[in-house]
Amino acid sequence: MKRSSDKVLNSGLAALCLVMPVTVLHAQGATTKDPKQPAAVDAGAPALQEIVVKGAIIGTYHVGKSAMASKIPMDPRDLASSLTILNDAAIRDRKAVTLTDLVNYVTGATQSQNTINGFSFRGFPNTGSYTQNIEFDGLQGATLKKASLSAADVESVEFLKGPNSVLYGQMNPGGLLNIITKSPMETPRYSVRTSVGVYAGAYSSGAPLTQDVALDATGPVFGNHKLLYRLVVDGSKQPSSRVGNSAHSLSIYPSMTYRFSDTTHFTVKGEVSQDRRRQDDGLMPIFDGTAISVPVNGKNVLTAAYGPTATWYTAPLDTIYNNSSDAAKDYGSALSTFFHTEFDHWVMRFRTRSVSHIDQVNEWTINNANVYSPKSAYAVPTSLIRRQYNDVRNGHRYNYADLNFYRRFGPDRFSHTILFGVGGGGEGFFNTRYAFGPNATLAQAITLINPVLDQYGYPAPGTGATNNQVWQTALGEYVSDQIKIGDLFNISLGVRHDLQKTHGLNTLSPAKTAFSNRLSPYTKQAGIVWHVIPAVSLYASYSQSIKAQTVIAYDQNGNSSFPPEGGEQYEGGMKFESADKNLNFTLATYQINRTNVIVPSGTNFTVPTGNAIVGQAISRLDGKQTSRGTEAELQWQPRPNWQIQTGYAYDHAYIAESITNPYSVGKDLINAPRNSGNFWTRYNIPRGTLAGLGFGGGLVYVGTQWAGDPTTALYYRIPAWTRVDSAVYYKFGHGYDLALNVHNLLDKRYISSSQSATTLNAGEQRLITLSFGAKFE
């Protein structure tokens, strides 16, 4: 089956690449579109209106309304919170193939892992039990976990900063990502986009290639304008720049809408996704500094891998420690429904989402339990690595629904928009470790530099096998009020009650590992916006989050009844919008407190303890973590053919309290740079013979960040880095366009982030991608 699907994908990519030159020649002779014809809404790459005579940008980056922050369509200026939106134009200008291509262009967000949930908001990670902080059209549940999500079916992405459990239930406190997927349209439209990329870096010139083909078709079914369809298909090969890596993915997104009337419609959306890739655990830091004494859990430990004096290096950035047979597979399906109607001035919305997902990894890993020879707690220049055999299969089942009503009451001078709703459902997490060991023998150890791979196959499964199963049910009731007082004030109030039940066990040892938690918390939200003048608004807000502990975690005594994690945020700021909406600026300052955080201790049980068995990780509560920061974002269209999007964030995320390890208080959290920023601009030549030609450029800056864990003896700095991206666009004929994008234009070689305490992610090298798109109506 794998060879067959690869053959089909290869044939499709090759065919489209051969057809492209013919299509270009055909387009050059096409009739120019009537400039008086109204421009259609573009679900693909941004269009350049009347490009033969001028280059005005239709697909601007500004979004005038969103329902993300309040579940009611509102102007962002009326929201007492920070909301960043990358719309269709912003996504297509960057020629994003997956959503990980976009995260670093969001102020206050950083990409820490190349997975769908591998990013942080305001210093707090989103990693954890699947994807609590990722919504799909307003409900959680991703079909992929280890891989990144295709951008082919994405209309826009909305990043709501800070906690918002009042409307969305359980979440991590840093923020929430909502992915707006494409919906059926009444106007028939067909598009195809294909791209081919080549790495042109210092150590990966010419290989591996990247390829992508995306098809998008929409319109009425058999001319029936009440029944609409859409089908999006995306097949790609997107390996990393590390030579020898491979990645193949295929996603299919069918959807259908039936319109009963102008105010009543029903939509159903499906998704089938799969991703296969060579497993790559990244690079390892090799420490060569002077040892110092660090107190860990009340004991002094000698380590050369702690603090600002820790010096380290890595093998060349193309070094891979995984065998060529080490593989990861990710696949899943989803079905979502949406019903919308209006009656007696009320708006009712009902949505559901059901997901089935499985990911598998079979590998010799360096990521779980490194064993060094000579024996050491971390890699040093003389170390050999004895890898560990790892065979894991994770599953996730998700079934949730949300029903809400809202209506506006009162006159314009003093109005209330009341929203109330109920949401709930259940999900299951299934983590099966067929093999968690054994470790390789000393004779099978590999070197840190120039390792020789593929010397031996997989062993028989060793100790540490588990079959953890966790089930969670939740029911939440919420109400909010958006109060408008003339043109001066907007006030928002909200409260939610949740009833969550979590239980689970390791089926291989059910008597000792069963646990159950129940919580019934209330979360609150309040905010005020003062429109000082029409262009300037000041705002302040308070919000909370809650998250049940949805993993089987044990403290040092083998107990698993950890209390739920909580978060609260205080935020204030200023928003500016010019009268023509071409200039938008937001300045925000905030403090987020996160409590009852479960973190790994870095050790495993060596003997049965309490309800824990040998090999399971020992976890602990880390008191309180705090994130304080300031963010500034600017969106500006100084001319009709030029636009700019930029932002800067200062964020100090640190351990504020720790009972078990007070030495760590004040230390920065991992993958939480204090300084980060981004810049993107696009300019189209406005007129003349070069009309239709455009240029884009971007810059991403991530400041110094920490890896490891400040509560252990492994805690070290990752240097700051800056990446430059560029693009050239050309739109011609009737719906045709070409783009040449260069990722990492200057071929900066850097470590982008850490996967774990002892594994690091190398930044991607220079990638040159040529893409061609055609749209037909």
Side-chain angles (χ1 to χ4, degrees):
M1 180 63 72
K2 179 179 184 296
R3 292 183 178 177
S4 176
S5 62
D6 285 351
K7 185 176 180 181
V8 172
L9 182 57
N10 284 328
S11 300
L13 290 167
L16 279 170
C17 291
L18 290 172
V19 168
M20 184 167 60
V22 179
T23 313
V24 172
L25 291 174
H26 167 74
Q28 290 174 339
T31 303
T32 302
K33 184 177 179 179
D34 183 0
K36 296 181 180 180
Q37 181 178 344
V41 177
D42 190 353
L48 303 178
Q49 187 181 25
E50 306 173 24
I51 59 174
V52 173
V53 295
K54 64 179 182 179
I57 295 173
I58 294 178
T60 66
Y61 301 150
H62 176 67
V63 177
K65 281 190 179 296
S66 171
M68 173 65 177
S70 62
K71 286 196 174 180
I72 298 171
M74 292 181 65
D75 190 316
R77 291 192 315 120
D78 297 331
L79 299 173
S81 57
S82 298
L83 178 66
T84 298
I85 301 176
L86 296 181
N87 61 8
D88 178 76
I91 295 171
R92 305 311 158 196
D93 272 6
R94 293 162 175 83
K95 292 298 179 286
V97 175
T98 66
L99 291 187
T100 56
D101 299 329
L102 300 172
V103 171
N104 282 324
Y105 278 105
V106 176
T107 305
T110 55
Q111 189 75 36
S112 57
Q113 297 182 26
N114 295 320
T115 60
I116 186 174
N117 64 338
F119 57 86
S120 299
F121 279 131
R122 291 184 168 176
F124 291 124
N126 181 52
T127 54
S129 298
Y130 293 82
T131 52
Q132 290 99 335
N133 283 47
I134 301 179
E135 304 275 330
F136 296 82
D137 299 308
L139 283 177
Q140 298 176 20
T143 57
L144 300 178
K145 180 190 177 185
K146 298 292 186 182
S148 182
L149 185 74
S150 166
D153 191 48
V154 177
E155 192 69 39
S156 65
V157 289
E158 302 175 315
F159 294 80
L160 178 61
K161 314 291 182 60
N164 201 328
S165 283
V166 168
L167 296 179
Y168 292 99
Q170 67 164 341
M171 64 175 290
N172 295 304
L176 197 66
L177 163 62
N178 187 39
I179 299 167
I180 306 297
T181 62
K182 293 179 179 179
S183 296
M185 302 174 67
E186 184 176 1
T187 302
R189 181 174 298 160
Y190 315 95
S191 68
V192 59
R193 176 162 293 279
T194 179
S195 66
V196 177
V198 59
Y199 286 103
Y203 57 78
S204 62
S205 182
L209 291 176
T210 68
Q211 298 170 292
D212 183 73
V213 177
L215 308 173
D216 186 355
T218 187
V221 178
F222 302 122
N224 182 350
H225 289 270
K226 286 184 175 293
L227 184 62
L228 314 176
Y229 83 96
R230 191 160 196 165
L231 177 64
V232 179
V233 180
D234 182 32
S236 70
K237 294 182 177 181
Q238 298 294 321
S240 74
S241 59
R242 285 149 65 78
V243 177
N245 277 353
S246 61
H248 309 263
S249 63
L250 176 66
S251 297
I252 303 173
Y253 308 93
S255 60
M256 191 165 289
T257 294
Y258 187 79
R259 301 191 308 185
F260 299 90
S261 67
D262 291 340
T263 59
T264 303
H265 52 84
F266 176 76
T267 298
V268 58
K269 296 182 178 181
E271 176 182 347
V272 177
S273 300
Q274 67 173 17
D275 180 273
R276 299 185 311 276
R277 63 185 59 240
R278 178 182 179 179
Q279 182 66 6
D280 183 359
D281 289 339
L283 293 164
M284 301 182 66
I286 306 168
F287 294 92
D288 59 355
T290 302
I292 62 172
S293 181
V294 177
V296 178
N297 294 327
K299 297 180 180 179
N300 288 330
V301 177
L302 200 65
T303 175
Y306 195 96
T309 61
T311 59
W312 56 275
Y313 63 95
T314 69
L317 298 188
D318 59 342
T319 303
I320 296 177
Y321 295 113
N322 290 84
N323 285 357
S324 58
S325 60
D326 291 351
K329 185 177 182 180
D330 218 347
Y331 53 96
S333 60
L335 185 69
S336 300
T337 65
F338 309 84
F339 179 71
H340 177 283
T341 190
E342 300 178 20
F343 56 93
D344 294 333
H345 305 290
W346 285 94
V347 176
M348 186 194 84
R349 296 165 300 182
F350 179 65
R351 62 188 64 194
T352 68
R353 184 167 175 85
S354 297
V355 177
S356 175
H357 159 266
I358 291 175
D359 63 80
Q360 297 173 271
V361 175
N362 186 257
E363 62 169 333
W364 280 105
T365 182
I366 63 172
N367 202 21
N368 285 327
N370 300 310
V371 177
Y372 305 103
S373 297
K375 187 176 180 181
S376 174
Y378 45 82
V380 296
T382 58
S383 292
L384 296 176
I385 312 164
R386 294 169 55 191
R387 297 173 296 175
Q388 182 192 59
Y389 181 47
N390 195 23
D391 188 1
V392 178
R393 176 186 171 102
N394 299 312
H396 185 209
R397 301 293 183 271
Y398 175 94
N399 297 283
Y400 271 78
D402 184 78
L403 172 67
N404 59 62
F405 301 81
Y406 73 88
R407 178 184 173 179
R408 180 179 176 182
F409 297 89
D412 287 342
R413 65 180 181 273
F414 190 82
S415 67
H416 296 259
T417 302
I418 305 295
L419 167 79
F420 63 91
V422 59
E427 57 189 316
F429 307 95
F430 312 99
N431 174 258
T432 303
R433 291 187 182 274
Y434 298 106
F436 194 54
N439 294 310
T441 65
L442 181 57
Q444 296 171 328
I446 60 175
T447 58
L448 287 165
I449 309 294
N450 296 322
V452 180
L453 306 175
D454 300 323
Q455 300 181 70
Y456 47 89
Y458 297 128
T463 60
T466 58
N467 186 20
N468 291 333
Q469 299 185 7
V470 179
W471 297 271
Q472 177 174 297
T473 58
L475 179 65
E477 313 90 34
Y478 56 91
V479 60
S480 71
D481 186 7
Q482 302 295 330
I483 305 169
K484 187 175 185 295
I485 305 176
D487 294 326
L488 284 180
F489 295 100
N490 289 81
I491 300 173
S492 60
L493 301 170
V495 64
R496 179 189 185 100
H497 171 258
D498 279 289
L499 178 61
Q500 297 182 3
K501 298 178 180 179
T502 306
H503 64 281
L505 76 167
N506 174 8
T507 61
L508 302 183
S509 183
K512 291 187 175 183
T513 59
F515 79 99
S516 177
N517 291 325
R518 182 182 186 275
L519 63 148
S520 181
Y522 285 87
T523 49
K524 300 173 284 297
Q525 177 272 334
I528 183 170
V529 179
W530 175 28
H531 300 286
V532 182
I533 58 175
V536 177
S537 304
L538 302 178
Y539 74 92
S541 63
Y542 171 80
S543 58
Q544 293 180 312
S545 67
I546 194 78
K547 188 185 79 170
Q549 309 293 2
T550 57
V551 296
I552 301 178
Y554 299 95
D555 63 19
Q556 61 184 358
N557 298 315
N559 300 319
S560 60
S561 298
F562 287 106
E565 181 182 300
E568 62 176 6
Q569 174 180 263
Y570 302 88
E571 181 176 336
M574 182 270 287
K575 299 181 181 183
F576 172 87
E577 182 178 87
S578 62
D580 59 7
K581 301 185 183 299
N582 285 339
L583 178 60
N584 298 269
F585 175 75
T586 301
L587 179 67
T589 183
Y590 59 87
Q591 176 173 313
I592 305 175
N593 296 318
R594 183 187 188 196
T595 55
N596 293 335
V597 183
I598 290 184
V599 295
S601 67
T603 58
N604 297 342
F605 289 101
T606 57
V607 296
T609 306
N611 291 328
I613 63 175
V614 174
Q616 288 185 311
I618 301 174
S619 300
R620 58 173 179 75
L621 292 177
D622 197 36
K624 184 172 77 171
Q625 298 176 355
T626 295
S627 176
R628 295 175 177 169
T630 300
E631 296 172 352
E633 294 184 89
L634 174 71
Q635 190 173 280
W636 185 25
Q637 190 171 3
R639 303 180 67 85
N641 58 310
W642 182 23
Q643 59 184 334
I644 297 169
Q645 197 170 42
T646 186
Y648 165 77
Y650 171 80
D651 178 84
H652 184 197
Y654 60 95
I655 296 176
E657 297 176 6
S658 180
I659 298 174
T660 57
N661 196 352
Y663 180 81
S664 68
V665 173
K667 298 293 192 298
D668 286 23
L669 301 182
I670 63 171
N671 288 325
R674 293 197 185 185
N675 295 278
S676 62
N678 62 82
F679 174 85
W680 181 268
T681 184
R682 173 169 178 168
Y683 177 84
N684 292 342
I685 295 177
R687 59 185 61 84
T689 58
L690 294 180
L693 187 64
F695 302 90
L699 183 147
V700 171
Y701 170 75
V702 175
T704 301
Q705 55 186 311
W706 290 86
D709 183 351
T711 67
T712 69
L714 194 64
Y715 181 62
Y716 54 100
R717 283 176 170 169
I718 298 176
W721 55 272
T722 302
R723 191 189 77 217
V724 178
D725 301 329
S726 65
V728 179
Y729 314 96
Y730 182 57
K731 188 169 179 66
F732 56 96
H734 184 69
Y736 300 95
D737 70 271
L738 284 167
L740 182 69
N741 287 67
V742 183
H743 171 92
N744 195 359
L745 176 68
L746 304 180
D747 195 30
K748 173 72 173 180
R749 280 169 270 177
Y750 60 98
I751 298 298
S752 63
S753 59
S754 63
Q755 289 190 45
S756 69
T758 55
T759 52
L760 302 172
N761 296 309
E764 295 291 2
Q765 293 191 76
R766 182 190 294 121
L767 173 64
I768 303 173
T769 302
L770 176 66
S771 59
F772 168 75
K775 289 182 289 186
F776 310 94
E777 296 182 4

